[in-house]
Amino acid sequence: MTPAPIADQEQRAAAINPRRSFIVQAPAGSGKTELLIQRFLALLGRVDRPQQVLAITFTRKAAAEMRHRLLSALESAQDDTPPEESHRLLTWQLARQALQQDKNLTWNLLQNPSLLSIQTIDSFNASLVRRMPWLTRLGGVPDLAESPEQLYLAAAENLLNRLGTAHPGCDQLKLLMAHLDNRMDRLQQMLVDMLRKRDQWLRHLVGIKSENSRCLLESGLKQLVESCLAGLAEHLPAAFHEELLACGRTAAANLWDQGERPLLCLTDLDWLPAAAVEHLAVWQGIADLLLTGGGDLRKPGGVNVKLGFPTSDKPAKERMQQLLRSLEGSPEFVSRLAQTRELPTCRYGEGQWRVLQALIELLPLLVGELWLVFRSEGQADFSEIALKAQQALGSVDDPSDLLLKLDNGLQHILVDEFQDTSWLQYDLLKVLTAGWQNGDGRTLFLVGDPMQSIYRFREAEVGLFLRTFQRGLGESGVLLEPLRLSCNFRSQQGIVEWVNRSFSAIFPRQVDEASGAVPVAEAVAVREVLPGAACCLHAFNGRDDSAEADRVVDLVRRARTENPSQRVAILVRSRTHLPEILHLLRHNGLSYQAQDIDLLGERPAALDILALTRALLHRGDRLAWLTVLRAPWCALRLVDLHALVDGAPRATVPTLLQSSDRLQQLSEDAKKRVGRILPILETGMTRRGRLPLRQLVEACWLALGGPACYDHEGVEDAALVFDLLETLQQGGDLPALDSLEKGLATLFSAPDTNADASLQVMTIHKAKGLEFDQVILPGLGRKPRSGDAALLRWLEHPEFGLLLAPIAPRDGSEQDPIYKLIGKLEKEKQDLETARLLYVAATRARNRLHLLGSARENAGGELKPDRGSLLETLWPVVEAEFADQALACENEVTASIVLPLRRLPLDWQQPELTAAPLPKVVDVGKASDVDGQDEDVPFTGWEQQSRRHIGTLVHALLEQVALQGIDSWLSRDTEPRNSMLERQLSALGVPRPELPVALERTLRAVQKTVESQRGRWILERHEQADCELALSGLVEGRVIHAVIDRTFIADGVRWVIDYKTSSPQQGETEEAFVLREKDHYRRQMESYVELMRAMDPGRVVWAALYFPLCDQWIEYS
Amino acid sequence: MNNVQTRLIDAAADGALVLTSNKRLARYLRSIYDREMQQRGKCVWPTPQIVSLDGWLSRNLAELGESWRLLDGFPALRLWEQVIEEDAAGSELELLQLTATARKAQEAHQLLVEYDCRLDGLSLTEDQRAFLRWQKRYLQRCQEHQWLDRAGLPGLIFTAMRNGQLAVPGQVLLAGFDQSNPALQMLEDVIVQHGGTVRNVQPEVDLSARIHRHPCADARQEIEQASRWARRLLEQGAESIGIVVPDLQTHRSRIERVFREQIDPAASLSMAEDESAFSLSLGSPLAETGPIHAALEILATGFRMTIDQASFLLRTPYLRGGQAESDQRAKLDVWLRSFRQQMITCKRLAELAEAEAGADEIAKCLQTMLEGAGDGSRRTPGDWAGHFDRLLLDAGWPGERSLSSAEYQMAKAWQDKLLPALASLDRVCRPMDRSKALSLLRRLAGEIEFQLEAPTGAVQVVGLLESAGLDFEHLWVMGMGEDVLPAPARPNPFLPIDLQVCNQMPHASADRELDFARSVIDRLKAASPDVVFSYPLREGDCELRPSPLISALDPAELELIATHDPRQLMRSPETRLAEEADSRGPALTGERGEGGTGILKDQALCPFRAFVHYRLRGHELDRSQPGIDAMTRGDLLHRVLEYFWRDVGNQQRLLELGQDTLTDKIGDHVEQAIDDIFAGQSRPAETLLDLEKDRLTGLVGEWLTDVEAARSTFEIHELEQEHFEQIGPLKIRTVIDRIDRLVDGSRVVLDYKTGMSKVDGLLGERLLEPQLPIYAVAASDSKADGVAFAQVRRGDCRMLGIARDDGLLPKVPGVRNSKPLQELGVGDWMQLLGYWRQQLEQLATDFVSGEARVDPVSYDKACQYCDLAGLCRIGEARYQSEPGEVVS
Ligand code: SF4
């Protein structure tokens, strides 16, 4: 059966043409991954080396998935029977071709899958850095900082520490501190925020350091303002020009002595203002004339003497009223006119410029500090890697060597999720494809859906997609053929239609690169319509989280009854919209999987471990100790806690716990409980430092019975906390007492793996790329948290270049219009993104979509959604239905909670823990460790080390002398010999200042030996003589490895001699010394003797120590 | 013993030289040899010649009498670093990772020497040209000092053998070399030329061996299953179990922990590592061990330190008096934190310690450290090593606890390994200042591995390379994911790729990696008659595939023993926790509540909070803030305004002051306030104080001119006066910021606020701001006609509050015009007072009775800013699955 061709068949077929470059708009559910795979396969079938094709994905997950699917396709193409479904058939055919190429060119792809380059942009950057350790100055790919925030913070702190020094930046810091009301904490936070986003502004700052920067910035602003004015002028209907000027003149003439106001600019005006900054004041005068303070068009009734139209001059007044009435037909003009009031004059005020300049000078220093922090930690963040990779790669005009080399290798690039490209990535792509020509065999393939661009907070710039779609990549880059997919394989027709309809009302009509305005691209459903409403609205009047949560639970239940196997998702804009819902789900026994929803730092199990850690680390942390005593494993009642600490506000809790008087005050129950846990805690405190902190705390927690105190999830949480503790710990302590707490605030608890996967809870961002049978969107009426004001606002405008403004001083004065203007442009972008977020949420649904939200009645009794909420975005679509449906809600009542004290029963016991049987291990020793630990008394000073090195060298020299004869020593020139010995000592590790002494000692040892009669005898030629003889054998049942310094047979006796380079300690007599040493080495020498006897059975073996430094000889008999 | 080993042992017994790929294998073969000799009934035997190739080369060098020439390990690396540093000097950015770069450069150099290649005439990238510069400089330095590096060693030794300077071994066996390399090639040439033999002994797969693959959900599960598999084998009497982990570094601690939990679960509760019979002793950087970390921290103490550094010194057991003075030191720490500053000078800290009773030792230690920090001389690293060691001794390191055997070994490693490593840098370093030496020391401590001494046990965990040549009864190879074997190619960035590929250098290309991977897998398959290759199916949210080299194996059917993880055992059967209501502490005895108006404020927000804060005296430790913290800034402002009004007294005089006099006056009071506030603690940097002075002067000026001067006439009635108020059963001490008397005799109570204030807390259903009402309703002689927050805030100075009538205070409405009060049904001032009184008395009664319900007004108002979330367990309300039964 051949299915009917789908709507966008042609586009799809074109997209896999390996000779042409494309940019593809692929809306939700259009199956773009399959398309990417097909193209990748098609390219593989043509290239010389598989690495010539590079695919860039947005996430690691996507990369893994793509690799997986590619390899599966290749594997199944080994099978000779083609699949039946048509789209699979195509994939199969392409994979066959790729396999053929693999075989022809012996790539061995299936054995060597790393040949497929499918990477995230981050890993691609890393691979560039790996090849340019020097040029990037990174010295290789650094470890990625687990919490870059900490490093930003350290950099900000270091910068702030320059205050009060003579270092550069100090004056700028002073200026900023004063500007911000001396709030160093604020400044620090702002600096941290700036660092987080430095990949966005850094390149701008480099460009504007110079003198003329002010001009440059102001001219950008000027252009922006003038473009606004131009738009305004365009919308002023020509018919009113004369009227407007006339009314303006009248009003101005009547009001000239009534005090300063904008419309006075209109005095005697007989020409219309142009779209020029110089005329801004005139436009503002017109606004003053026509608009109310709130920005609405004046009502004809409001034309009065205050506006310069006294009743006495009736014709003028009527003229004005007439003008106002006619303007009612030009709302666009009115709203643009209102905006002119806020427009800046395009000149920075002096104070503002000083601050901006200070920032421009300071921020590079901040980045420098960050580099130093990265350096000392040996870590960096993604941005650093990207920035440096790109810098090193060079630019389109000034490419690096590597780029040229890469260039030969890279033939085809595929980029997924192109709508979420940032400026940095865009530039990278431009550089990579610089010089590519259409038809030269190299191709670029960009896929994405601008309607789903929702990563602005990660610098995604949807305007770049729009620009590329219209104009190709860069000015001289490859031309890209635009393609549009329209089929939706995911959602049933009902949903597709609802989405088409709704979003044509919600999305803007016109493409606008600057604000990222994306009009809707309507989809064609492949799946047929399902019975019943595809999309249901659940409207609430007034915010009532629990009513909404009730409804959610209800919907989940209904979905379950309808079809227990269907996959349901609850998607929210922010995880903070969830507590009520999750609580109710649990309460109703509905299990769910929640990803990145619950903060670990809010979970009781985590907090207990936090307290335990702090208690073990700090005796004086009273709160931590109280918490440990109150946690389920001990769970003292308030009365007992009180009895323990009452009247002793300064005492530390461990001290109180050790006081028997105090303990006497406790109830019997408490005595037993404290009695159980106290020994554990005491052990924990005394073992501090000996074990890694994690191990210490975890052992303590286990010993306390921690796992018995929580449910399955609690134990999972605990595991995460311990893992975190492990990454933080430093030598049995924490870098700062609150570091664990801070870490917990950034981690989420793990999804409950036992839970039913058919109900998922997550944020809309997380749901991108997923699909569910039913999607429930609660909390649409909630507004997002507003962010803090940034130290610097910047905006890269596609036409006017960089716009910059510093924050206003913290002295309550007016916000600066430039700062405000940029803020407004940002907000515009944000609002458009909010609409796209809604689109993403809605298009996750396969079968059904539920919208839940609340609006509020305004003073006039009308229902209005909160500003900034998703509902506000949706409002044009649902307004009518909403009012009909909305249920009035009771004012929120917070029910009192009763929180019982949960206690581990007193009779709880540790389970029996048995060790596995372990086979006995045989220990192999050196002969010298027989004596164990106290061989040297340690920690008496480090000089011992040099002695040891001297010993080593003396041994070697004596061996040489024994082998080469005494003359070999005596005959050498002392000068070169000594310098050689010095080098040897140095190579052994004797510190330079100690060299002379060490050399002297070494020489003395050898010299004494060769001069002494005993020494000569030892070193002389003997029967069966050996130096450094390595023997192994059994002594007292243990295997011993011995190295015997010198052995020989003299007069029928086998001598075993060990050299010792020690000498009497200060004040010690030689006799005492000899006795001490003899005793000390007795066991060692005995074992040598034993080995030797076994080696040379029947011979008399004698052992002796020889002390070259003092020519002492000790015989063991 | 397998047949490979038999061959090796027999040959060694015949006097053949056995060269291994690494030390571990040499040690392992020697131990097998020893065992074999014992089995043959011998009591003594010559130690066999089984050495690692590197060891053997060094030994030969020593024989030539030239071992001093060898520049190896840290000094060699340091030399590379130095030449790179010198080359980079003057460039805009210092290298982020000097050491990593030096390592790569060293590796490139080694490759060039080993493969006898030259870069001349090749087209190079900028990185490669840089390398060429470094190498030149490096070789120059080596030549100057006649140094020889590892790369040059084989050449030298083999030449010496050719020349007859060194004896050429006759019979050589190679063990554990996965692949041949140029050095081995050279070795073979020399030996064969001299009539000897070289055999590379490779294990062969036993056809009867059971070899399987085993998918696991993720890396965590792999470890867990491997440990249970091992336990089961141990229980069946297995004596040698191998676990091979490619990425051992990353998983080391988890493996160690999980295996301990499964094999000797009681040990994971014991808090004493050295007591367990089971140990893997996988080692970790020396710097991470307690004593060494403490030593480095002690040495790093400078003139100024952060509170966290100070706290570490006060809490560490590794300083003299760390035990005996622990309680006093902990209290000192708490006090220090109460300054809420981020830094303190060492000197000041020592002074504070001296003043504190029972903290003499720490004061002395700090003095010692301060002296150490002041040493401005330049010395060689070895010289510094001696100084560092002496300073530690003077400070009583490693403390007065008796050392555990692990600690003993750590402290010994300090002297036996770390300091010598530092001294070894004397060969390549010039004298340097203290901080540079310290950073070198720190780095070495981070790189030197510390391993607890323990005999090789039945379970051995090794990395992929170290596993070469080892042999086990059972073997589990983990982490065989797709990109592990074969790994992606990683050519050295400093050499042209083509050169590397042509010469077949390691990691040069995917083909090379595939070859290597194949030989490794083959050797692993031969390392045991029972092999499991496991791999994770996912990592985070990514799906993973197995290595293509094992994916064709049959899946294993593993029998895993039931878990012995104490966590699991403690949870089965699940313990039912008893639940009981416990929301009341003992009643207050006596009527004085310590803590002032805060008591009632907390009681209103959440009764539990008041109980803990004011009855148990439990608070979190103060947190430091950058600059001058908000609370201190508030105190300063209060102080300045108090001094000012004490001086000026009424509005009339304020108005009479000229602008200049006013500013001067304010300035004087600001100076005074700053001096007074920071007297007893630690004075912040003067620059900060200067900024703060300017700010305060401006702010107070703004407040006085904009608000005080512009309101209706008043004089100060009371300033910062202490009162004792009886509220129901409770007597509370309060300090009122200020009471003004207006011309008509009415009095208004003012409370300074520096943040955004709201009147809601005064006029709402729950009285969240009780301090003003307390005074207003007090039965004492006072009478108040209005209360207000005086919000002293830059650009937003004003009064917010409520008064008997309009107009008493600027923009403060009278009761009758207050919307919220109308909603509450309060019509006039007297009613408001009555309403307040009733609320206050209720709160007071609750507090006195010990009422301590966990009952916050709302999360946003109460819990968000509360330090007690851990103690009150409010989280349980949210995360408990089912409502618990409550037993009273
Ligand atoms: S966290 Fe909330 S519930 Fe707990 S004590 Fe504080 S205010 Fe009360």
Side-chain angles (χ1 to χ4, degrees), chain A residues 61 67-68 71 75 110-113 130 132-135 137-140 142 164 181-184 188 371 374-375 401 405 583 586 602-603 608 617-619 622-623 630 632 637-638 642 652 655 684 686-691 694 698-699 702 707 710 712 715 723 726 731 733 736-737 741 810-811 899 901-903 910 914-916 919 921 933 939 942-943 945 980 983-984 986 989 991-993 1030-1034 1039 1041 1094-1095, chain B residues 34 38 43-45 47 68 94-97 100-101 123 125-127 129-130 134 146 231 253-254 257 260 263-265 268 271-272 288 290 308 312 315 318 327 330 333 337 382-383 389-390 393 401-402 407-408 411 415-416 419 423 426-427 429 456 458 482 486 490 493 510 518 541 545 548-549 567 570-571 575 577-580 582 586 615-617 619 623 626-627 633 687 692 695 794-795 867-868 872-873 876-879 881:
Chain A
K61 185 182 172 192
R67 170 180 299 270
H68 201 90
L71 288 166
E75 273 162 10
L110 286 170
Q111 290 276 295
N112 223 337
R130 194 170 299 121
M132 301 182 284
W134 167 248
L135 212 52
R137 292 295 187 277
L138 287 170
D181 199 26
N182 207 15
R183 287 282 301 272
M184 198 191 262
Q188 183 175 304
W371 181 262
F374 282 159
R375 210 174 115 90
D401 312 322
K405 294 200 168 156
H583 182 66
R586 277 165 204 265
E602 291 168 357
R603 304 279 229 160
D608 286 342
L617 288 179
H618 203 314
R619 297 172 66 89
R622 192 175 175 101
L623 181 57
R630 182 81 170 165
R637 299 192 179 107
L638 293 177
H642 184 260
T652 64
T655 313
T686 49
R687 300 275 159 89
R688 198 151 66 78
R690 289 182 184 164
L691 302 176
R694 179 212 171 118
E698 193 168 22
L702 289 170
Y710 313 99
H712 171 73
V715 176
D723 285 347
E726 186 168 324
D733 206 323
L737 265 189
E741 190 182 345
R810 267 181 71 92
D811 59 3
L899 207 56
L901 176 62
R902 306 174 70 238
R903 331 180 80 191
Q910 285 282 0
T914 46
V921 279
Q933 266 191 16
F939 325 123
W942 184 63
E943 292 75 12
Q945 288 301 330
M980 179 70 66
R983 287 173 169 195
Q984 282 176 334
S986 174
R992 209 175 295 165
L1031 283 184
S1032 304
L1034 282 174
V1039 176
H1041 293 154
M1095 201 63 193
Chain B
D34 287 341
Q38 279 168 272
C43 295
V44 69
W45 54 90
T47 307
W68 60 271
E94 285 181 273
L95 268 175
L96 189 85
Q97 302 179 92
T101 317
S123 104
T125 63
E126 184 149 346
D127 279 79
R129 285 195 294 272
W134 305 336
Q146 289 176 275
R231 169 149 192 155
S253 74
R254 176 177 293 276
R257 185 175 66 252
R260 185 171 53 232
I263 291 174
D264 186 7
S268 45
M271 294 182 247
E288 285 175 15
D308 294 310
F312 179 85
R315 292 179 297 106
Y318 295 108
D327 223 52
D333 185 359
R337 285 169 192 274
D383 199 0
D389 199 53
R390 269 191 295 284
L393 281 183
R401 297 193 297 201
S402 63
E407 273 173 316
Y408 177 89
Q415 292 201 327
D416 291 353
L419 292 184
D426 274 13
R427 295 172 78 194
C429 293
T456 318
E482 180 178 85
R490 286 283 154 89
R518 284 201 178 115
D541 56 0
R545 296 162 54 97
L549 301 181
R567 258 167 275 266
M570 279 187 225
R571 294 196 30 73
T575 319
L577 295 194
E579 297 196 343
E580 61 177 61
D582 182 48
R615 301 288 303 280
L616 300 183
R617 298 265 154 195
H619 289 278
R623 293 167 194 270
R633 287 152 60 104
T687 333
E692 186 61 16
R695 182 189 83 93
R794 212 64 225 254
D867 53 347
L868 304 181
C872 72
R873 315 191 68 73
E876 280 176 6
R878 209 166 134 184
Y879 294 115
S881 352

